Amino acid sequence: MSDRVTLRPCRFRDLRRVMEIENESFTDPYPWDEFAAHLLLNRSGFVVACIDSEVVGYVLAAREEGGEGWIRSIAVVPGFRRRGAGAALMEAAMESLAGCDRVILLARRSNEAAMALYRKFAFTETGMVKGYYRDGEDAVKFQWTQHEPE
Ligand SMILES: CC(C)(COP(=O)(O)OP(=O)(O)OC[C@H]1O[C@@H](n2cnc3c(N)ncnc32)[C@H](O)[C@@H]1OP(=O)(O)O)[C@@H](O)C(=O)NCCC(=O)NCCS
């Protein structure tokens, strides 16, 4: 099996697969409506990664009013992790947010894989949101800035 990762915009017919990936990746998955709304309102920031034509991951990025970027979610199906899909999706997300001075995201404090990925893309920790997740776990806030903060 080739590990070549390809990227393309998400389509409505991908949403079922995206939901499978979501449900396999998170204990508190986003509902279908959230993905459908993102597809309608923010299409350029909704990208899927494929390996051998199979959708194996997705990223959701959005540009907020004021020009701030948010990476809302990223996931790769367990059997296809550590093959470069996550990094490819992060690149796509950052490309879709080109021009933003600042990009923000949150990660569970225990999520070493995600935090390593974000650090690799020059995100730095800026704080903590206590008890952010439904099960009470804290979120670590990460930020990427166009220029080094003074
Ligand atoms: C986080 C996630 C998207 C990474 O996807 P992936 O396809 O495995 O990532 P890649 O293979 O592209 O790895 C890119 C980098 O991420 C980091 N990384 C990924 N998995 C890692 C792990 N298990 N442990 C440590 N670092 C890891 C490494 O820095 C890696 O670079 P390297 O291969 O040069 O070491 C994936 O683990 C996932 O879907 N997790 C569940 C969902 C999730 O937690 N999403 C984030 C919500 S905040």
Side-chain angles (χ1 to χ4, degrees), residues 26 74-76 81-87 106 111 113 116-118 120:
F26 297 105
I74 180 169
V76 174
R81 290 181 189 158
R82 299 310 309 250
R83 302 187 193 193
L106 296 172
N111 195 341
L117 175 64
Y118 303 147
K120 192 170 173 157

